[in-house]
Amino acid sequence: MDGEQGNFTVTIRQRPRYVDMDKCIACGLCAEKCPRKVSDEYDEGIGVRKAIYVPYPQAVPLKYTIDADNCIYFEKGKCKACEKFCPAGAINFEDREQERALPVGSIIVSSGFKTFDPAGMDNYQYGTLANVVTSIEFERMLSAGGPTRGILQRPSDGEEPSRIAWLQCVGSRDINQGDNPYCSSVCCMYALKEAMMAGEHVSGELTPSIFFMDMRTYGKDFEKYYERARAEGVRFVRSRIHTITEEPDGSLFFRYADEAGNICEEHYDMAVLSVGMEASGATKELAATLGINLNASGFIQTEAYSPVSTSRPGIYVAGVAGGCKDIPDSVVDASAAAESAARMLAPVRGTLSQHKEFPPEMDVAGKPTRIGVFVCNCGSNIGGIADVPQIAEYARALPNVVYVEENLFTCSQDTQDKMAQVIKEEDLNRVVVAACTPRTHEPLFQETLRNAGLNPYLFEMANIRNQCTWVHSNDATMATDKAKDLVAMAVARASRLEPLSEETVGIHKPVLVVGGGVAGLTAAKSLADQGFPVTVVEKADRLGGAAADVNKEQVRQHVDRLVADVTGHDRIDVLTSAEITNVSGFIGNFETTLNAGGEPRTVEHGVAIIATGGVPSDTTEYLYHKNDRVTRWHDLWNHPLRESADSIVFIQCVGSRDDNRPYCSKICCTASIENAIALKKEKPDRQVYILYRDIRTYGERERLYKEARELGVVFIRYSRDRKPEVTENPDGLEVSVFDPIVGKNLSIAADLVNLATAIEPAEHSDVARQFKISDNAEHFLVEAHAKLRPVDCATDGVFICGLAHYPKFMEESIAQAQAVAARVVTVLSKDQIGIEPIVSEVDEALCIGCGLCVAVCPYSAIQLIPVEGKGFRAENISALCKGCGICAASCPQRAIDMRHFRDEQITAALTAAVNE
């Protein structure tokens, strides 16, 4: 890599795959015929694959590649079975390594991680004892596509296990074996998930046990999952297993000390080692090539207030390459990195865009229905079980079918081109494809129709693979008969399909940001820097949000700088002491009415970002409000007795992880530990205690936990049913707590007590209601999908970030705000936005204006409008409608129909299914 930000030249070395990706149709015939079997790295060596293979079923691109190190042809110069049997002629043994020079403006590194290898930990005897497996191996065992097809078997003898133990922190939080002092962040949750899922993969009873130090279920709804696991029988043992030995029958023997110091002995059928994450060698090598710094753990170094930026301008990092994190955080990182790259490249956005032109669409109105049916063999997937010629012959006799064709692979490019030609030559005006799932292939075939000049909604698909040959693989007759029924249904429905046109609406470029904390201001500044006008609405009389109350100098400097950048930006309009009174419209075309300092104001905007923030909860526990020596959070640093105090006690989980707030507030452990470290450094002989339930210093924050212990901070664990007690005495405060290690109540004389109360969302019920955003039981705003769309709302054009979504550290709020900005740009960078044509349609003559459809619509996509002399009638707002059909199903007058799923279309399909 040469050059600098905005003008890099990157040289890429591309290894040969010996398979032409343009020709390969992923039929699998090559792998079926290949004689060489090798250990499958994707199945962690438990299963085998062929020397020509697809790495895993969902690989992108879904194309085969040849493993030259294990291919018989490359070893001995003969074989070529794959080339002989490939129906597409895709094998190319002459393929060679290539180098390409790419001019790029920015670089995003997302090179992933490797899992810790426990082979060197002789006390667990991984690799020696067959029934000791890693968590990744166990995951593959649970997978329906794994080496055991989802059937849980003990590796030593294939027997079904009844007792399984998970051992946490293998390769993490350990400087004795593995030398990884950090927490890998994800292991507790994936162990919980595996323990919960394992019971579904055995026929008998299963007793899962998890041996752990701290259960770190800190993410959104993670604590609820933890409590659910406990309620459903997952056993939790707070202990670290030292050694595993094997009994003659292959079972595993554990001998350990419990919390009370008692020696326990237990037997298990299997042990699962919850292995942590490590920086991969590829990441380290890549970092050296790119000239970017690594942190102490070998991950790519980033800064707290620029969480995806590396040490070199123009190079960004996403995912675990930058540190241990879960899937939602990796997805947020990815969008944040895209935002960072886009912000720098904004002046040239769209200059290299290419737009595909389709031929004019033919008019089918009034023409006789002419249906073409294309039946796919799909290699052995369909044709190996069902009688495809018989299905095709059956289709020829169906009403309105004028053309039928069998294809080896209907999705191949050659077949697609031929299909477009057949549509023109045969004057087809409806097309049915009997193949695999429309979930993955319908868009492909719809594009083929567009290439032939036919409306894409004149297409219907019969899934004769997933719904026939895959589920009836042992009954060819059943699979064939069912496929005929599905084809008949598809043809009947296709006969009644009608062309649909996608509507477009213009987009208002301004952005509305609700909330003037770090998250909202970060998103506002990013979008303004990229050329979009922004209005920031803040309910309070100042900007900065919760971060403005933090005492750390670095935080204050960042907040002050961010506020100055926003208030001084010529594209940002800041309204403080302002509240939203009404919202109308839809993505690209919102109109919001505000009350700003008593003055009404209307803002037209294309999207909205909700960053209303969070606040520490109040409490009446532990003498708070009754004794001024008891403080919350940052109030400690402003207390007049702080500097002279000789004994300070922190109490964690105050109002968190209980019946009222059954969630972890995520940042409290680290915040208290940072304060404790600062207090010890301020006055080394000061006694500092932290009373906790679980210490949740995930990721690199584990180093803070270690530093605090080294400085002499005393950690005492308490349980939910034996909380600490704080009482007053003439000299100050007395804190009593039961210590499970010594098995006694301890009494601590304290000058000050600081409470880590729960973080809860700021009041945003009106805003959520106006923008039609759901919240969970604790009133945090709910994202569209926890993993795949972590900053989108179900309402298109509305996004969330910061503490309104869930408690998080400032760097996580910043990354989420950057991710939101990236998602917003995907909308605002267009001049128009398409509206899905599959929406509900109201028959004005039948509608009686009862309003039931308005009440049941989850997207507020139907409104009642007045009709002179007739009361009201319903009207669909196409831009908001998701085509769910609830309104049509609920209408007592049958006045609502769904385009592309009209009653007559569905009825025709059902009639075809029941009629021979």
Side-chain angles (χ1 to χ4, degrees):
M1 191 271 295
D2 298 310
E4 59 186 8
Q5 176 174 326
N7 190 26
F8 292 113
T9 299
V10 180
T11 304
I12 305 294
R13 178 182 296 116
Q14 186 173 14
R15 295 193 298 272
R17 65 189 302 142
Y18 306 106
V19 175
D20 188 325
M21 289 210 297
D22 291 331
K23 295 181 179 180
C24 178
I25 52 179
C27 63
L29 197 57
C30 55
E32 182 183 322
K33 301 298 183 181
C34 177
R36 173 61 61 86
K37 294 181 179 180
V38 298
S39 177
D40 189 344
E41 55 270 36
Y42 182 71
D43 277 336
E44 295 294 303
I46 303 173
V48 296
R49 61 165 172 82
K50 297 297 185 68
I52 185 167
Y53 68 108
V54 172
Y56 53 96
Q58 292 81 31
V60 177
L62 190 62
K63 307 290 183 180
Y64 278 76
T65 185
I66 292 177
D67 176 2
D69 292 336
N70 289 290
C71 175
I72 295 175
Y73 171 75
F74 286 105
E75 282 182 359
K76 302 178 179 180
K78 51 185 172 183
C79 179
K80 291 191 176 183
C82 53
E83 183 181 56
K84 177 181 177 181
F85 289 100
C86 177
I91 307 301
N92 177 18
F93 285 107
E94 303 305 315
D95 199 5
R96 295 292 179 265
E97 182 178 280
Q98 297 179 8
E99 286 193 358
R100 297 175 60 192
L102 304 177
V104 297
S106 58
I107 299 168
I108 297 174
V109 181
S110 54
S111 50
F113 66 97
K114 67 175 181 179
T115 52
F116 175 78
D117 183 0
M121 303 178 72
D122 55 2
N123 54 328
Y124 291 155
Q125 299 195 65
Y126 171 75
T128 301
L129 304 183
N131 295 322
V132 177
V133 300
T134 70
S135 47
I136 309 300
E137 291 170 342
F138 192 80
E139 187 278 333
R140 296 308 303 144
M141 294 178 186
L142 295 181
S143 173
T148 60
R149 295 295 182 264
I151 300 171
L152 196 51
Q153 299 172 338
R154 201 164 74 151
S156 64
D157 54 15
E159 293 295 315
E160 185 178 275
S162 60
R163 289 174 59 86
I164 303 177
W166 278 259
L167 277 57
Q168 299 307 103
C169 299
V170 177
S172 300
R173 303 183 68 186
D174 187 357
I175 57 173
N176 297 314
Q177 297 193 71
D179 199 29
N180 291 328
Y182 55 84
C183 166
S184 288
S185 301
V186 303
C187 318
C188 287
M189 278 307 296
Y190 75 57
L192 273 175
K193 187 174 181 180
E194 288 186 348
M196 292 280 279
M197 291 175 61
E200 302 171 5
H201 293 258
V202 295
S203 58
E205 292 293 320
L206 178 70
T207 303
S209 299
I210 297 179
F211 291 82
F212 70 104
M213 294 194 292
D214 295 284
M215 189 51 59
R216 293 187 166 171
T217 50
Y218 54 82
K220 191 172 185 178
D221 289 334
F222 287 7
E223 185 75 11
K224 294 179 185 177
Y225 196 77
Y226 176 28
E227 292 300 326
R228 177 183 157 196
R230 293 165 65 97
E232 294 188 11
V234 178
R235 175 172 170 255
F236 293 88
V237 183
R238 196 179 293 268
S239 180
R240 191 155 188 167
I241 301 298
H242 179 271
T243 304
I244 300 175
T245 57
E246 189 176 55
E247 297 292 286
D249 64 353
S251 64
L252 305 174
F253 176 69
F254 289 10
R255 190 170 187 268
Y256 65 92
D258 65 12
E259 289 182 271
N262 301 313
I263 300 301
C264 304
E265 296 181 350
E266 296 177 358
H267 289 83
Y268 290 89
D269 297 317
M270 290 178 66
V272 181
L273 307 182
S274 294
V275 291
M277 298 174 170
E278 291 185 324
S280 68
T283 295
K284 295 176 181 178
E285 183 180 348
L286 185 59
T289 301
L290 299 178
I292 54 179
N293 297 337
L294 302 175
N295 64 18
S297 300
F299 297 103
I300 294 173
Q301 181 176 306
T302 59
E303 299 297 327
Y305 307 122
S306 186
V308 295
S309 296
T310 70
S311 58
R312 187 165 184 174
I315 302 180
Y316 310 98
V317 60
V320 185
C324 302
K325 53 180 66 74
D326 206 346
I327 290 173
D329 297 315
S330 292
V331 175
V332 166
D333 271 5
S335 287
E339 179 274 339
S340 297
R343 179 155 32 103
M344 188 266 294
L345 299 173
V348 294
R349 180 183 292 119
T351 55
L352 297 178
S353 296
Q354 296 180 349
H355 301 281
K356 182 173 181 177
E357 296 292 336
F358 291 98
E361 195 172 288
M362 68 177 72
D363 184 7
V364 300
K367 294 185 177 180
T369 301
R370 296 178 59 83
I371 300 176
V373 178
F374 298 83
V375 185
C376 184
N377 272 274
C378 199
S380 58
N381 272 300
I382 296 174
I385 298 167
D387 188 335
V388 171
Q390 191 181 134
I391 297 169
E393 191 61 33
Y394 175 81
R396 287 187 177 92
L398 294 173
N400 299 316
V401 173
V402 298
Y403 182 85
V404 177
E405 181 175 293
E406 297 175 46
N407 305 112
L408 184 57
F409 296 101
T410 310
C411 60
S412 69
Q413 188 58 52
D414 290 346
T415 305
Q416 293 293 293
D417 295 339
K418 182 182 177 183
M419 185 185 296
Q421 183 179 349
V422 167
I423 291 172
K424 296 175 183 178
E425 292 176 350
E426 298 293 333
D427 194 23
L428 302 180
N429 52 31
R430 306 288 190 282
V431 173
V432 171
V433 171
C436 53
T437 171
R439 182 181 292 262
T440 57
H441 283 69
E442 185 175 51
L444 172 69
F445 295 120
Q446 286 182 323
E447 184 172 354
T448 301
L449 264 66
R450 295 187 69 188
N451 288 331
L454 202 58
N455 186 279
Y457 293 94
L458 298 174
F459 170 78
E460 179 67 0
M461 197 164 182
N463 187 351
I464 64 172
R465 184 190 69 178
N466 303 44
Q467 297 175 357
C468 295
T469 57
W470 279 7
V471 293
H472 303 295
S473 58
N474 296 322
D475 191 337
T477 301
M478 173 69 79
T480 302
D481 290 344
K482 189 175 180 181
K484 290 179 183 178
D485 287 343
L486 291 184
V487 170
M489 293 171 70
V491 167
R493 183 169 182 271
S495 298
R496 289 158 179 81
L497 292 178
E498 57 193 7
L500 299 180
S501 299
E502 186 178 83
E503 300 176 34
T504 59
V505 293
I507 294 175
H508 295 314
K509 299 299 182 179
V511 179
L512 181 70
V513 177
V514 185
V518 166
L521 297 181
T522 299
K525 181 179 182 301
S526 169
L527 291 163
D529 287 345
Q530 296 184 62
F532 301 105
V534 180
T535 298
V536 176
V537 180
E538 170 54 49
K539 194 174 185 178
D541 59 1
R542 63 173 175 85
L543 299 177
D549 298 326
V550 178
N551 297 91
K552 290 172 66 175
E553 185 62 27
Q554 281 183 311
V555 174
R556 285 181 170 176
Q557 290 177 357
H558 178 74
V559 173
D560 290 346
R561 185 167 55 250
L562 185 58
V563 170
D565 288 343
V566 167
T567 55
H569 207 296
D570 59 359
R571 293 194 188 95
I572 301 178
D573 186 12
V574 177
L575 303 175
T576 54
S577 302
E579 294 190 57
I580 292 173
T581 57
N582 187 60
V583 177
S584 61
F586 47 86
I587 181 171
N589 292 266
F590 288 106
E591 185 175 287
T592 298
T593 305
L594 313 168
N595 185 330
E599 295 291 328
R601 182 168 176 175
T602 299
V603 178
E604 291 184 338
H605 54 102
V607 298
I609 298 170
I610 312 302
T612 45
V615 294
S617 64
D618 201 356
T619 184
T620 57
E621 288 189 281
Y622 307 115
L623 300 182
Y624 187 68
H625 289 307
K626 298 177 182 177
N627 189 305
D628 60 7
R629 289 173 180 261
V630 181
T631 61
R632 280 186 316 167
W633 286 87
H634 314 297
D635 297 336
L636 171 66
W637 290 95
N638 301 320
H639 199 283
L641 296 179
R642 192 204 82 237
E643 292 186 6
S644 61
D646 292 321
S647 176
I648 300 176
V649 176
F650 292 84
I651 302 179
Q652 303 303 106
C653 295
V654 179
S656 288
R657 303 176 65 194
D658 59 17
D659 292 337
N660 293 326
R661 298 183 188 88
Y663 60 89
C664 168
S665 291
K666 194 174 186 178
I667 68 175
C668 321
C669 287
T670 301
S672 294
I673 289 173
E674 285 183 324
N675 284 327
I677 290 171
L679 290 167
K680 288 293 285 185
K681 289 181 176 179
E682 181 183 61
K683 194 175 180 180
D685 59 347
R686 171 184 283 153
Q687 294 299 308
V688 180
Y689 302 86
I690 295 181
L691 313 185
Y692 71 99
R693 287 175 59 190
D694 288 280
I695 291 294
R696 293 181 170 177
T697 46
Y698 60 95
E700 294 293 333
R701 297 170 182 85
E702 183 71 12
R703 297 179 188 272
L704 292 170
Y705 184 23
K706 180 174 181 289
E707 181 184 357
R709 297 198 306 273
E710 291 171 345
L711 289 172
V713 176
V714 178
F715 291 83
I716 302 172
R717 192 177 67 81
Y718 73 90
S719 61
R720 179 178 171 181
D721 56 352
R722 299 189 73 167
K723 290 184 176 182
E725 295 182 2
V726 179
T727 55
E728 297 174 299
N729 61 39
D731 298 321
L733 300 170
E734 182 176 310
V735 181
S736 57
V737 60
F738 178 78
D739 187 338
I741 302 300
V742 299
K744 295 181 180 180
N745 281 309
L746 305 181
S747 181
I748 304 169
D751 297 316
L752 295 172
V753 172
N754 189 254
L755 308 180
T757 59
I759 301 295
E760 59 186 12
E763 171 54 38
H764 54 212
S765 57
D766 285 345
V767 172
R769 177 178 54 81
Q770 295 280 8
F771 282 102
K772 305 174 183 67
I773 310 171
S774 300
D775 59 1
N776 66 9
E778 294 77 48
H779 304 298
F780 291 106
L781 300 180
V782 175
E783 60 276 37
H785 190 287
K787 293 185 178 182
L788 305 182
R789 297 177 65 196
V791 298
D792 295 56
C793 292
T795 301
D796 288 343
V798 182
F799 305 88
I800 53 175
C801 58
L803 299 183
H805 167 261
Y806 191 69
K808 53 180 63 69
F809 289 93
M810 186 180 293
E811 62 266 33
E812 294 171 335
S813 285
I814 292 171
Q816 200 173 37
Q818 290 179 301
V820 162
R823 298 288 299 125
V824 166
V825 170
T826 63
V827 177
L828 300 186
S829 59
K830 305 169 186 174
D831 293 324
Q832 294 182 319
I833 188 167
I835 298 174
E836 172 65 53
I838 302 178
V839 297
S840 64
E841 191 173 74
V842 180
D843 186 333
E844 298 179 18
L846 294 176
C847 178
I848 60 173
C850 66
L852 181 59
C853 54
V854 177
V856 300
C857 178
Y859 304 102
S860 300
I862 298 186
Q863 61 184 356
L864 288 180
I865 61 173
V867 179
E868 187 175 351
K870 296 183 179 180
F872 294 88
R873 69 170 176 84
E875 181 180 73
N876 174 273
I877 306 171
S878 297
L880 293 176
C881 182
K882 300 296 183 185
C884 67
I886 293 176
C887 57
S890 303
C891 180
Q893 295 295 109
R894 302 182 68 86
I896 302 178
D897 214 351
M898 297 300 304
R899 294 178 185 171
H900 203 60
F901 290 95
R902 297 191 184 280
D903 287 352
E904 65 167 347
Q905 295 166 352
I906 296 173
T907 302
L910 294 175
T911 302
V914 298
N915 290 339
E916 288 297 335

